[in-house]
Amino acid sequence: GGLVHEDLQIQLPDGRVRTVELYLHAETDRHGRARDLILSACDVTEVRQTRDDLVEQQRQHQFHLDNMPVAVIEWDSRLRVRDWSASAEALFGWTRDEAQGRSVSELGLLAESERGNRQRWLRDLYSEAGILPPVLCRCRHRDGRERLVETHRAISRDGAGRIRSLLSFSQDVGVREQSLQELRASEARYRGVFDEASVGVALLDGQGHWLKVNRSLCKIVGYEEAELLRLDFQTITHPEDLAKDVDLANRVLSGEIPGYQMEKRYLRKDGSLVWVLLHVGRIEATAEMPVSFVSVIEDISARKAAERRMQALQSSLEKQVGERTQELRLSVTASEQRNVELAQIAETTGLLAGAGDVDEAMRIVGRSCRTLFPLADAALYLATEAPERLQLREHWGQGPRPAESLLADHCWGLRRG
């Protein structure tokens, strides 16, 4: 009278294999002896395959859920936890079993500072969109620690438009946000240094076009920023300096040298010349930008003008020394004192050749004149940037201190040329 159930694999004449559920039941007579065997069979191939596919699908779903690098949470239509990934356990501290069926409030996932945003996020659920905008907020771990979390959300709806489930994908972005803040701060510092530098700073491409320039460079060359960015360095370089500059730039571009330094002249917008000290360095290529140049440009016009004045003064003194020497040579009555004076003048000339600036040259001349003309009441004046006024630099003798400045028109020597 028992019922026997068995699953069998059978092969049909056409070669197909089917899964059959076989039921065997024995009917007995009144003495309990088997009288008839009733056999029934049911083809369950598709049912078993569907069941196996569902099991495999659930296994794959659980595998992906447990191995996703972000915290994946599935919420039901009442916004209670339906499923909870291993990464969610690590991010929030609750196990899957502990989180199952509980809400955000019950789990305490939101930091106190974010409670005011909850209603706004809930209103997103009533939009027609399937993909909701991401949310950046502070969340709370089970142990009370807070962290900055970015969450992406997607809604699944049934045919009537009702919410079937909500999927949230969350990750800790605190380190990323801190790195972004540090990068923004670094960029701000770079922009400050670049824009406020007292020397000209520029970024140029491999062809010499200006890509970025600061205010100091615009002031040096007399162009507005927008005007300069439409030009290249070749356009505003003095023709006599261009060949050397281009050759050095090409050597940097080819990697032969890492950079160079040179003195050169720029043609300002108003046509005037400005001397600069140019420092050029190479910026290696990246995925976004080919090899480029960074240039630091220092205005040295004042130094060049001082050098020209120094050269003129030195030439004038050398000429005077030469004339004086010639006079001494022609004098048959020159005394030993004259020889001493000649030696003093020669020494002065040598010292002037090594003078570093006009101030040092004036001190050398003053010391020499005291020796050459010890009995004279004298003063040494120097022409300033304003040619009509002379400035006292040295004086000696027993007379009263001369005036600190002197109008050129009051000097008979100058008035007579």
Side-chain angles (χ1 to χ4, degrees):
L3 178 65
V4 179
H5 169 243
E6 189 75 33
D7 284 353
L8 296 178
Q9 298 284 330
I10 64 173
Q11 186 174 8
L12 301 182
D14 60 7
R16 290 179 298 154
V17 176
R18 309 292 290 180
T19 301
V20 176
E21 280 190 349
L22 185 66
Y23 297 90
L24 184 62
H25 176 68
E27 289 191 350
T28 59
D29 58 17
R30 59 189 180 87
H31 298 292
R33 294 188 296 268
R35 186 182 63 185
D36 297 306
L37 291 176
I38 301 174
L39 178 68
S40 61
C42 178
D43 187 346
V44 294
T45 304
E46 283 75 14
V47 173
R48 293 296 170 84
Q49 184 62 47
T50 301
R51 184 189 66 187
D52 292 344
D53 290 345
L54 180 60
V55 170
E56 177 62 20
Q57 184 179 7
Q58 290 175 340
R59 188 191 67 79
Q60 291 184 8
H61 168 75
Q62 194 62 46
F63 173 82
H64 292 305
L65 192 67
D66 290 339
N67 290 279
M68 285 284 284
V70 297
V72 181
I73 305 174
E74 182 180 3
W75 310 83
D76 61 20
S77 58
R78 296 182 302 147
L79 295 183
R80 293 183 176 274
V81 175
R82 178 180 291 165
D83 209 344
W84 184 271
S85 71
S87 295
E89 292 185 11
L91 183 60
F92 298 111
W94 300 91
T95 66
R96 178 184 286 108
D97 291 340
E98 292 171 332
Q100 195 78 27
R102 303 175 74 176
S103 67
V104 172
S105 298
E106 291 170 342
L107 294 172
L109 300 185
L110 287 180
E112 290 294 333
S113 58
E114 300 289 354
R115 296 300 174 88
N117 294 318
R118 187 181 178 193
Q119 292 301 319
R120 175 171 60 83
W121 296 332
L122 289 175
R123 285 195 297 271
D124 292 343
L125 301 178
Y126 298 99
S127 66
E128 296 298 324
I131 305 297
L132 302 179
V135 170
L136 186 66
C137 67
R138 299 201 68 79
C139 292
R140 195 167 66 90
H141 189 271
R142 184 177 185 175
D143 61 10
R145 290 177 297 158
E146 292 187 3
R147 56 190 64 187
L148 189 63
V149 174
E150 184 179 63
T151 300
H152 295 261
R153 302 166 296 164
I155 298 177
S156 174
R157 301 180 187 273
D158 59 20
R162 293 185 296 268
I163 296 176
R164 182 184 292 115
S165 63
L166 169 69
L167 280 176
S168 63
F169 306 87
S170 303
Q171 60 179 337
D172 184 349
V173 295
V175 174
R176 185 194 74 185
E177 290 298 313
Q178 182 179 357
S179 298
L180 287 174
Q181 291 177 4
E182 292 175 352
L183 178 60
R184 294 188 190 103
S186 177
E187 290 176 345
R189 289 193 296 269
Y190 162 76
R191 286 194 299 271
V193 171
F194 185 92
D195 293 336
E196 302 302 329
S198 59
V199 295
V201 184
L203 180 67
L204 301 91
D205 65 16
Q207 289 70 48
H209 295 97
W210 307 97
L211 301 176
K212 187 173 178 59
V213 296
N214 70 347
R215 285 189 289 269
S216 293
L217 178 58
C218 293
K219 183 178 179 181
I220 290 172
V221 298
Y223 286 91
E224 296 292 334
E225 180 179 354
E227 295 173 328
L228 199 53
L229 293 179
R230 291 193 292 267
L231 304 175
D232 52 34
F233 81 85
Q234 296 92 326
T235 302
I236 66 171
T237 297
H238 191 282
E240 295 179 4
D241 301 329
L242 183 57
K244 179 181 178 182
D245 201 359
V246 170
D247 176 64
L248 290 171
N250 288 334
R251 292 174 64 189
V252 172
L253 194 62
S254 66
E256 182 181 349
I257 57 176
Y260 64 93
Q261 174 182 306
M262 67 174 290
E263 292 182 358
K264 61 177 287 187
R265 290 160 290 182
Y266 280 133
L267 298 170
R268 303 181 84 252
K269 183 179 179 181
D270 60 9
S272 61
L273 292 178
V274 57
W275 274 98
V276 301
L277 178 60
L278 173 67
H279 304 263
V280 176
R282 173 188 171 103
I283 299 179
E284 298 298 334
T286 64
E288 296 79 17
M289 180 180 290
V291 175
S292 55
F293 302 101
V294 60
S295 296
V296 178
I297 300 101
E298 180 184 357
D299 185 347
I300 59 172
S301 298
R303 193 190 81 190
K304 282 292 183 180
E307 289 176 356
R308 289 193 297 271
R309 292 194 298 269
M310 178 71 71
Q311 290 170 357
L313 175 62
Q314 182 173 341
S315 298
S316 175
L317 289 173
E318 287 176 349
K319 180 181 178 181
Q320 293 177 29
V321 169
E323 293 172 352
R324 180 61 175 165
T325 302
Q326 185 65 20
E327 292 175 0
L328 291 173
R329 286 176 179 173
L330 295 175
S331 176
V332 293
T333 59
S335 65
E336 185 179 355
Q337 180 60 33
R338 293 294 181 92
N339 293 331
V340 173
E341 292 175 353
L342 180 59
Q344 178 64 37
I345 291 173
E347 180 185 359
T348 301
T349 302
L351 292 174
L352 285 175
D357 54 28
V358 174
D359 291 336
E360 189 175 5
M362 290 297 97
R363 289 193 296 271
I364 293 170
V365 172
R367 187 166 61 248
S368 177
C369 287
R370 285 183 176 87
T371 303
L372 292 173
F373 313 111
L375 302 180
D377 290 338
L380 180 63
Y381 285 82
L382 179 68
T384 64
E385 296 292 341
E388 71 277 6
R389 182 171 293 278
L390 307 177
Q391 190 70 33
L392 178 67
R393 301 307 296 266
E394 298 285 340
H395 69 92
W396 62 95
Q398 301 301 317
R401 179 181 177 85
E404 291 296 328
S405 62
L406 177 68
L407 291 176
D409 192 51
H410 292 176
C411 176
W412 281 97
L414 292 177
R415 288 170 65 179
R416 295 172 60 190

mmCIF file with all atom_site columns, all heavy atoms in Angstrom, residues 166-186:
data_model
loop_
_atom_site.group_PDB
_atom_site.id
_atom_site.type_symbol
_atom_site.label_atom_id
_atom_site.label_alt_id
_atom_site.label_comp_id
_atom_site.label_asym_id
_atom_site.label_entity_id
_atom_site.label_seq_id
_atom_site.pdbx_PDB_ins_code
_atom_site.Cartn_x
_atom_site.Cartn_y
_atom_site.Cartn_z
_atom_site.occupancy
_atom_site.B_iso_or_equiv
_atom_site.pdbx_formal_charge
_atom_site.auth_seq_id
_atom_site.auth_comp_id
_atom_site.auth_asym_id
_atom_site.auth_atom_id
_atom_site.pdbx_PDB_model_num
ATOM 1   N N   . LEU A 1 166 ? 13.819 49.487 -4.247 1.00 0.00 ? 166 LEU A N   1
ATOM 2   C CA  . LEU A 1 166 ? 14.786 50.568 -4.433 1.00 0.00 ? 166 LEU A CA  1
ATOM 3   C C   . LEU A 1 166 ? 16.165 49.992 -4.183 1.00 0.00 ? 166 LEU A C   1
ATOM 4   O O   . LEU A 1 166 ? 16.402 49.363 -3.159 1.00 0.00 ? 166 LEU A O   1
ATOM 5   C CB  . LEU A 1 166 ? 14.506 51.720 -3.461 1.00 0.00 ? 166 LEU A CB  1
ATOM 6   C CG  . LEU A 1 166 ? 15.592 52.804 -3.365 1.00 0.00 ? 166 LEU A CG  1
ATOM 7   C CD1 . LEU A 1 166 ? 15.670 53.607 -4.655 1.00 0.00 ? 166 LEU A CD1 1
ATOM 8   C CD2 . LEU A 1 166 ? 15.330 53.731 -2.178 1.00 0.00 ? 166 LEU A CD2 1
ATOM 9   N N   . LEU A 1 167 ? 17.059 50.193 -5.138 1.00 0.00 ? 167 LEU A N   1
ATOM 10  C CA  . LEU A 1 167 ? 18.437 49.758 -4.977 1.00 0.00 ? 167 LEU A CA  1
ATOM 11  C C   . LEU A 1 167 ? 19.306 50.975 -4.683 1.00 0.00 ? 167 LEU A C   1
ATOM 12  O O   . LEU A 1 167 ? 19.205 52.008 -5.359 1.00 0.00 ? 167 LEU A O   1
ATOM 13  C CB  . LEU A 1 167 ? 18.941 49.072 -6.248 1.00 0.00 ? 167 LEU A CB  1
ATOM 14  C CG  . LEU A 1 167 ? 18.529 47.610 -6.465 1.00 0.00 ? 167 LEU A CG  1
ATOM 15  C CD1 . LEU A 1 167 ? 19.026 47.134 -7.823 1.00 0.00 ? 167 LEU A CD1 1
ATOM 16  C CD2 . LEU A 1 167 ? 19.085 46.719 -5.372 1.00 0.00 ? 167 LEU A CD2 1
ATOM 17  N N   . SER A 1 168 ? 20.162 50.867 -3.671 1.00 0.00 ? 168 SER A N   1
ATOM 18  C CA  . SER A 1 168 ? 21.103 51.948 -3.363 1.00 0.00 ? 168 SER A CA  1
ATOM 19  C C   . SER A 1 168 ? 22.511 51.378 -3.400 1.00 0.00 ? 168 SER A C   1
ATOM 20  O O   . SER A 1 168 ? 22.763 50.264 -2.951 1.00 0.00 ? 168 SER A O   1
ATOM 21  C CB  . SER A 1 168 ? 20.804 52.554 -1.993 1.00 0.00 ? 168 SER A CB  1
ATOM 22  O OG  . SER A 1 168 ? 20.966 51.601 -0.960 1.00 0.00 ? 168 SER A OG  1
ATOM 23  N N   . PHE A 1 169 ? 23.413 52.180 -3.983 1.00 0.00 ? 169 PHE A N   1
ATOM 24  C CA  . PHE A 1 169 ? 24.817 51.797 -4.118 1.00 0.00 ? 169 PHE A CA  1
ATOM 25  C C   . PHE A 1 169 ? 25.637 52.881 -3.437 1.00 0.00 ? 169 PHE A C   1
ATOM 26  O O   . PHE A 1 169 ? 25.704 54.015 -3.916 1.00 0.00 ? 169 PHE A O   1
ATOM 27  C CB  . PHE A 1 169 ? 25.206 51.679 -5.595 1.00 0.00 ? 169 PHE A CB  1
ATOM 28  C CG  . PHE A 1 169 ? 24.316 50.754 -6.386 1.00 0.00 ? 169 PHE A CG  1
ATOM 29  C CD1 . PHE A 1 169 ? 23.150 51.236 -6.972 1.00 0.00 ? 169 PHE A CD1 1
ATOM 30  C CD2 . PHE A 1 169 ? 24.634 49.420 -6.526 1.00 0.00 ? 169 PHE A CD2 1
ATOM 31  C CE1 . PHE A 1 169 ? 22.325 50.395 -7.702 1.00 0.00 ? 169 PHE A CE1 1
ATOM 32  C CE2 . PHE A 1 169 ? 23.815 48.576 -7.251 1.00 0.00 ? 169 PHE A CE2 1
ATOM 33  C CZ  . PHE A 1 169 ? 22.649 49.057 -7.836 1.00 0.00 ? 169 PHE A CZ  1
ATOM 34  N N   . SER A 1 170 ? 26.276 52.553 -2.314 1.00 0.00 ? 170 SER A N   1
ATOM 35  C CA  . SER A 1 170 ? 26.952 53.554 -1.487 1.00 0.00 ? 170 SER A CA  1
ATOM 36  C C   . SER A 1 170 ? 28.428 53.239 -1.347 1.00 0.00 ? 170 SER A C   1
ATOM 37  O O   . SER A 1 170 ? 28.826 52.065 -1.299 1.00 0.00 ? 170 SER A O   1
ATOM 38  C CB  . SER A 1 170 ? 26.319 53.609 -0.086 1.00 0.00 ? 170 SER A CB  1
ATOM 39  O OG  . SER A 1 170 ? 24.934 53.882 -0.175 1.00 0.00 ? 170 SER A OG  1
ATOM 40  N N   . GLN A 1 171 ? 29.238 54.302 -1.261 1.00 0.00 ? 171 GLN A N   1
ATOM 41  C CA  . GLN A 1 171 ? 30.668 54.123 -1.010 1.00 0.00 ? 171 GLN A CA  1
ATOM 42  C C   . GLN A 1 171 ? 31.197 55.295 -0.195 1.00 0.00 ? 171 GLN A C   1
ATOM 43  O O   . GLN A 1 171 ? 30.701 56.425 -0.308 1.00 0.00 ? 171 GLN A O   1
ATOM 44  C CB  . GLN A 1 171 ? 31.446 54.000 -2.320 1.00 0.00 ? 171 GLN A CB  1
ATOM 45  C CG  . GLN A 1 171 ? 31.345 55.193 -3.244 1.00 0.00 ? 171 GLN A CG  1
ATOM 46  C CD  . GLN A 1 171 ? 32.160 55.012 -4.515 1.00 0.00 ? 171 GLN A CD  1
ATOM 47  O OE1 . GLN A 1 171 ? 33.105 54.225 -4.534 1.00 0.00 ? 171 GLN A OE1 1
ATOM 48  N NE2 . GLN A 1 171 ? 31.816 55.724 -5.564 1.00 0.00 ? 171 GLN A NE2 1
ATOM 49  N N   . ASP A 1 172 ? 32.210 55.005 0.600  1.00 0.00 ? 172 ASP A N   1
ATOM 50  C CA  . ASP A 1 172 ? 32.867 56.018 1.426  1.00 0.00 ? 172 ASP A CA  1
ATOM 51  C C   . ASP A 1 172 ? 33.757 56.864 0.519  1.00 0.00 ? 172 ASP A C   1
ATOM 52  O O   . ASP A 1 172 ? 34.682 56.359 -0.111 1.00 0.00 ? 172 ASP A O   1
ATOM 53  C CB  . ASP A 1 172 ? 33.705 55.321 2.503  1.00 0.00 ? 172 ASP A CB  1
ATOM 54  C CG  . ASP A 1 172 ? 34.337 56.307 3.474  1.00 0.00 ? 172 ASP A CG  1
ATOM 55  O OD1 . ASP A 1 172 ? 34.302 57.522 3.214  1.00 0.00 ? 172 ASP A OD1 1
ATOM 56  O OD2 . ASP A 1 172 ? 34.880 55.848 4.497  1.00 0.00 ? 172 ASP A OD2 1
ATOM 57  N N   . VAL A 1 173 ? 33.478 58.169 0.432  1.00 0.00 ? 173 VAL A N   1
ATOM 58  C CA  . VAL A 1 173 ? 34.253 59.065 -0.439 1.00 0.00 ? 173 VAL A CA  1
ATOM 59  C C   . VAL A 1 173 ? 34.991 60.112 0.384  1.00 0.00 ? 173 VAL A C   1
ATOM 60  O O   . VAL A 1 173 ? 35.398 61.144 -0.153 1.00 0.00 ? 173 VAL A O   1
ATOM 61  C CB  . VAL A 1 173 ? 33.335 59.750 -1.484 1.00 0.00 ? 173 VAL A CB  1
ATOM 62  C CG1 . VAL A 1 173 ? 32.755 58.725 -2.435 1.00 0.00 ? 173 VAL A CG1 1
ATOM 63  C CG2 . VAL A 1 173 ? 32.218 60.545 -0.802 1.00 0.00 ? 173 VAL A CG2 1
ATOM 64  N N   . GLY A 1 174 ? 35.164 59.856 1.668  1.00 0.00 ? 174 GLY A N   1
ATOM 65  C CA  . GLY A 1 174 ? 35.849 60.830 2.515  1.00 0.00 ? 174 GLY A CA  1
ATOM 66  C C   . GLY A 1 174 ? 37.267 61.100 2.052  1.00 0.00 ? 174 GLY A C   1
ATOM 67  O O   . GLY A 1 174 ? 37.701 62.246 1.960  1.00 0.00 ? 174 GLY A O   1
ATOM 68  N N   . VAL A 1 175 ? 38.019 60.030 1.735  1.00 0.00 ? 175 VAL A N   1
ATOM 69  C CA  . VAL A 1 175 ? 39.402 60.203 1.276  1.00 0.00 ? 175 VAL A CA  1
ATOM 70  C C   . VAL A 1 175 ? 39.429 60.939 -0.052 1.00 0.00 ? 175 VAL A C   1
ATOM 71  O O   . VAL A 1 175 ? 40.247 61.830 -0.282 1.00 0.00 ? 175 VAL A O   1
ATOM 72  C CB  . VAL A 1 175 ? 40.093 58.831 1.151  1.00 0.00 ? 175 VAL A CB  1
ATOM 73  C CG1 . VAL A 1 175 ? 41.483 58.978 0.547  1.00 0.00 ? 175 VAL A CG1 1
ATOM 74  C CG2 . VAL A 1 175 ? 40.179 58.155 2.514  1.00 0.00 ? 175 VAL A CG2 1
ATOM 75  N N   . ARG A 1 176 ? 38.478 60.563 -0.939 1.00 0.00 ? 176 ARG A N   1
ATOM 76  C CA  . ARG A 1 176 ? 38.422 61.226 -2.245 1.00 0.00 ? 176 ARG A CA  1
ATOM 77  C C   . ARG A 1 176 ? 38.114 62.705 -2.102 1.00 0.00 ? 176 ARG A C   1
ATOM 78  O O   . ARG A 1 176 ? 38.751 63.559 -2.729 1.00 0.00 ? 176 ARG A O   1
ATOM 79  C CB  . ARG A 1 176 ? 37.352 60.565 -3.117 1.00 0.00 ? 176 ARG A CB  1
ATOM 80  C CG  . ARG A 1 176 ? 37.290 61.104 -4.538 1.00 0.00 ? 176 ARG A CG  1
ATOM 81  C CD  . ARG A 1 176 ? 36.023 60.657 -5.233 1.00 0.00 ? 176 ARG A CD  1
ATOM 82  N NE  . ARG A 1 176 ? 34.868 61.383 -4.725 1.00 0.00 ? 176 ARG A NE  1
ATOM 83  C CZ  . ARG A 1 176 ? 33.607 61.131 -5.097 1.00 0.00 ? 176 ARG A CZ  1
ATOM 84  N NH1 . ARG A 1 176 ? 33.362 60.139 -5.940 1.00 0.00 ? 176 ARG A NH1 1
ATOM 85  N NH2 . ARG A 1 176 ? 32.606 61.832 -4.610 1.00 0.00 ? 176 ARG A NH2 1
ATOM 86  N N   . GLU A 1 177 ? 37.140 63.045 -1.254 1.00 0.00 ? 177 GLU A N   1
ATOM 87  C CA  . GLU A 1 177 ? 36.775 64.443 -1.064 1.00 0.00 ? 177 GLU A CA  1
ATOM 88  C C   . GLU A 1 177 ? 37.921 65.226 -0.432 1.00 0.00 ? 177 GLU A C   1
ATOM 89  O O   . GLU A 1 177 ? 38.176 66.375 -0.787 1.00 0.00 ? 177 GLU A O   1
ATOM 90  C CB  . GLU A 1 177 ? 35.516 64.546 -0.190 1.00 0.00 ? 177 GLU A CB  1
ATOM 91  C CG  . GLU A 1 177 ? 34.252 64.075 -0.879 1.00 0.00 ? 177 GLU A CG  1
ATOM 92  C CD  . GLU A 1 177 ? 33.922 64.925 -2.103 1.00 0.00 ? 177 GLU A CD  1
ATOM 93  O OE1 . GLU A 1 177 ? 33.972 66.165 -1.999 1.00 0.00 ? 177 GLU A OE1 1
ATOM 94  O OE2 . GLU A 1 177 ? 33.639 64.339 -3.155 1.00 0.00 ? 177 GLU A OE2 1
ATOM 95  N N   . GLN A 1 178 ? 38.625 64.592 0.518  1.00 0.00 ? 178 GLN A N   1
ATOM 96  C CA  . GLN A 1 178 ? 39.772 65.273 1.127  1.00 0.00 ? 178 GLN A CA  1
ATOM 97  C C   . GLN A 1 178 ? 40.857 65.530 0.095  1.00 0.00 ? 178 GLN A C   1
ATOM 98  O O   . GLN A 1 178 ? 41.463 66.604 0.058  1.00 0.00 ? 178 GLN A O   1
ATOM 99  C CB  . GLN A 1 178 ? 40.336 64.430 2.270  1.00 0.00 ? 178 GLN A CB  1
ATOM 100 C CG  . GLN A 1 178 ? 41.511 65.091 2.982  1.00 0.00 ? 178 GLN A CG  1
ATOM 101 C CD  . GLN A 1 178 ? 42.035 64.243 4.132  1.00 0.00 ? 178 GLN A CD  1
ATOM 102 O OE1 . GLN A 1 178 ? 41.486 63.194 4.439  1.00 0.00 ? 178 GLN A OE1 1
ATOM 103 N NE2 . GLN A 1 178 ? 43.092 64.701 4.761  1.00 0.00 ? 178 GLN A NE2 1
ATOM 104 N N   . SER A 1 179 ? 41.082 64.530 -0.791 1.00 0.00 ? 179 SER A N   1
ATOM 105 C CA  . SER A 1 179 ? 42.078 64.715 -1.847 1.00 0.00 ? 179 SER A CA  1
ATOM 106 C C   . SER A 1 179 ? 41.662 65.830 -2.787 1.00 0.00 ? 179 SER A C   1
ATOM 107 O O   . SER A 1 179 ? 42.492 66.636 -3.227 1.00 0.00 ? 179 SER A O   1
ATOM 108 C CB  . SER A 1 179 ? 42.265 63.413 -2.623 1.00 0.00 ? 179 SER A CB  1
ATOM 109 O OG  . SER A 1 179 ? 42.743 62.388 -1.780 1.00 0.00 ? 179 SER A OG  1
ATOM 110 N N   . LEU A 1 180 ? 40.350 65.889 -3.114 1.00 0.00 ? 180 LEU A N   1
ATOM 111 C CA  . LEU A 1 180 ? 39.863 66.952 -3.992 1.00 0.00 ? 180 LEU A CA  1
ATOM 112 C C   . LEU A 1 180 ? 40.039 68.319 -3.344 1.00 0.00 ? 180 LEU A C   1
ATOM 113 O O   . LEU A 1 180 ? 40.425 69.296 -4.006 1.00 0.00 ? 180 LEU A O   1
ATOM 114 C CB  . LEU A 1 180 ? 38.388 66.713 -4.339 1.00 0.00 ? 180 LEU A CB  1
ATOM 115 C CG  . LEU A 1 180 ? 38.103 65.580 -5.321 1.00 0.00 ? 180 LEU A CG  1
ATOM 116 C CD1 . LEU A 1 180 ? 36.606 65.354 -5.459 1.00 0.00 ? 180 LEU A CD1 1
ATOM 117 C CD2 . LEU A 1 180 ? 38.714 65.874 -6.678 1.00 0.00 ? 180 LEU A CD2 1
ATOM 118 N N   . GLN A 1 181 ? 39.755 68.403 -2.041 1.00 0.00 ? 181 GLN A N   1
ATOM 119 C CA  . GLN A 1 181 ? 39.931 69.672 -1.345 1.00 0.00 ? 181 GLN A CA  1
ATOM 120 C C   . GLN A 1 181 ? 41.394 70.089 -1.337 1.00 0.00 ? 181 GLN A C   1
ATOM 121 O O   . GLN A 1 181 ? 41.716 71.261 -1.538 1.00 0.00 ? 181 GLN A O   1
ATOM 122 C CB  . GLN A 1 181 ? 39.405 69.555 0.084  1.00 0.00 ? 181 GLN A CB  1
ATOM 123 C CG  . GLN A 1 181 ? 37.878 69.425 0.168  1.00 0.00 ? 181 GLN A CG  1
ATOM 124 C CD  . GLN A 1 181 ? 37.401 69.236 1.594  1.00 0.00 ? 181 GLN A CD  1
ATOM 125 O OE1 . GLN A 1 181 ? 38.188 69.280 2.537  1.00 0.00 ? 181 GLN A OE1 1
ATOM 126 N NE2 . GLN A 1 181 ? 36.103 69.016 1.762  1.00 0.00 ? 181 GLN A NE2 1
ATOM 127 N N   . GLU A 1 182 ? 42.286 69.123 -1.091 1.00 0.00 ? 182 GLU A N   1
ATOM 128 C CA  . GLU A 1 182 ? 43.715 69.443 -1.105 1.00 0.00 ? 182 GLU A CA  1
ATOM 129 C C   . GLU A 1 182 ? 44.158 69.869 -2.498 1.00 0.00 ? 182 GLU A C   1
ATOM 130 O O   . GLU A 1 182 ? 44.983 70.775 -2.652 1.00 0.00 ? 182 GLU A O   1
ATOM 131 C CB  . GLU A 1 182 ? 44.517 68.232 -0.634 1.00 0.00 ? 182 GLU A CB  1
ATOM 132 C CG  . GLU A 1 182 ? 44.307 67.899 0.837  1.00 0.00 ? 182 GLU A CG  1
ATOM 133 C CD  . GLU A 1 182 ? 45.011 66.618 1.246  1.00 0.00 ? 182 GLU A CD  1
ATOM 134 O OE1 . GLU A 1 182 ? 45.538 65.911 0.332  1.00 0.00 ? 182 GLU A OE1 1
ATOM 135 O OE2 . GLU A 1 182 ? 45.032 66.301 2.446  1.00 0.00 ? 182 GLU A OE2 1
ATOM 136 N N   . LEU A 1 183 ? 43.589 69.199 -3.541 1.00 0.00 ? 183 LEU A N   1
ATOM 137 C CA  . LEU A 1 183 ? 43.931 69.576 -4.908 1.00 0.00 ? 183 LEU A CA  1
ATOM 138 C C   . LEU A 1 183 ? 43.440 70.974 -5.216 1.00 0.00 ? 183 LEU A C   1
ATOM 139 O O   . LEU A 1 183 ? 44.161 71.770 -5.831 1.00 0.00 ? 183 LEU A O   1
ATOM 140 C CB  . LEU A 1 183 ? 43.323 68.568 -5.883 1.00 0.00 ? 183 LEU A CB  1
ATOM 141 C CG  . LEU A 1 183 ? 43.551 68.845 -7.374 1.00 0.00 ? 183 LEU A CG  1
ATOM 142 C CD1 . LEU A 1 183 ? 45.043 68.857 -7.681 1.00 0.00 ? 183 LEU A CD1 1
ATOM 143 C CD2 . LEU A 1 183 ? 42.839 67.808 -8.225 1.00 0.00 ? 183 LEU A CD2 1
ATOM 144 N N   . ARG A 1 184 ? 42.211 71.294 -4.784 1.00 0.00 ? 184 ARG A N   1
ATOM 145 C CA  . ARG A 1 184 ? 41.684 72.639 -5.033 1.00 0.00 ? 184 ARG A CA  1
ATOM 146 C C   . ARG A 1 184 ? 42.542 73.684 -4.303 1.00 0.00 ? 184 ARG A C   1
ATOM 147 O O   . ARG A 1 184 ? 42.821 74.753 -4.842 1.00 0.00 ? 184 ARG A O   1
ATOM 148 C CB  . ARG A 1 184 ? 40.232 72.724 -4.571 1.00 0.00 ? 184 ARG A CB  1
ATOM 149 C CG  . ARG A 1 184 ? 39.272 71.846 -5.367 1.00 0.00 ? 184 ARG A CG  1
ATOM 150 C CD  . ARG A 1 184 ? 37.825 72.134 -4.976 1.00 0.00 ? 184 ARG A CD  1
ATOM 151 N NE  . ARG A 1 184 ? 36.921 71.143 -5.541 1.00 0.00 ? 184 ARG A NE  1
ATOM 152 C CZ  . ARG A 1 184 ? 36.379 70.156 -4.871 1.00 0.00 ? 184 ARG A CZ  1
ATOM 153 N NH1 . ARG A 1 184 ? 36.644 70.026 -3.573 1.00 0.00 ? 184 ARG A NH1 1
ATOM 154 N NH2 . ARG A 1 184 ? 35.572 69.298 -5.457 1.00 0.00 ? 184 ARG A NH2 1
ATOM 155 N N   . ALA A 1 185 ? 42.936 73.370 -3.063 1.00 0.00 ? 185 ALA A N   1
ATOM 156 C CA  . ALA A 1 185 ? 43.777 74.308 -2.321 1.00 0.00 ? 185 ALA A CA  1
ATOM 157 C C   . ALA A 1 185 ? 45.123 74.492 -3.002 1.00 0.00 ? 185 ALA A C   1
ATOM 158 O O   . ALA A 1 185 ? 45.653 75.605 -3.095 1.00 0.00 ? 185 ALA A O   1
ATOM 159 C CB  . ALA A 1 185 ? 43.971 73.810 -0.883 1.00 0.00 ? 185 ALA A CB  1
ATOM 160 N N   . SER A 1 186 ? 45.684 73.373 -3.506 1.00 0.00 ? 186 SER A N   1
ATOM 161 C CA  . SER A 1 186 ? 46.957 73.463 -4.209 1.00 0.00 ? 186 SER A CA  1
ATOM 162 C C   . SER A 1 186 ? 46.830 74.290 -5.475 1.00 0.00 ? 186 SER A C   1
ATOM 163 O O   . SER A 1 186 ? 47.695 75.111 -5.794 1.00 0.00 ? 186 SER A O   1
ATOM 164 C CB  . SER A 1 186 ? 47.455 72.046 -4.554 1.00 0.00 ? 186 SER A CB  1
ATOM 165 O OG  . SER A 1 186 ? 48.649 72.107 -5.302 1.00 0.00 ? 186 SER A OG  1
#
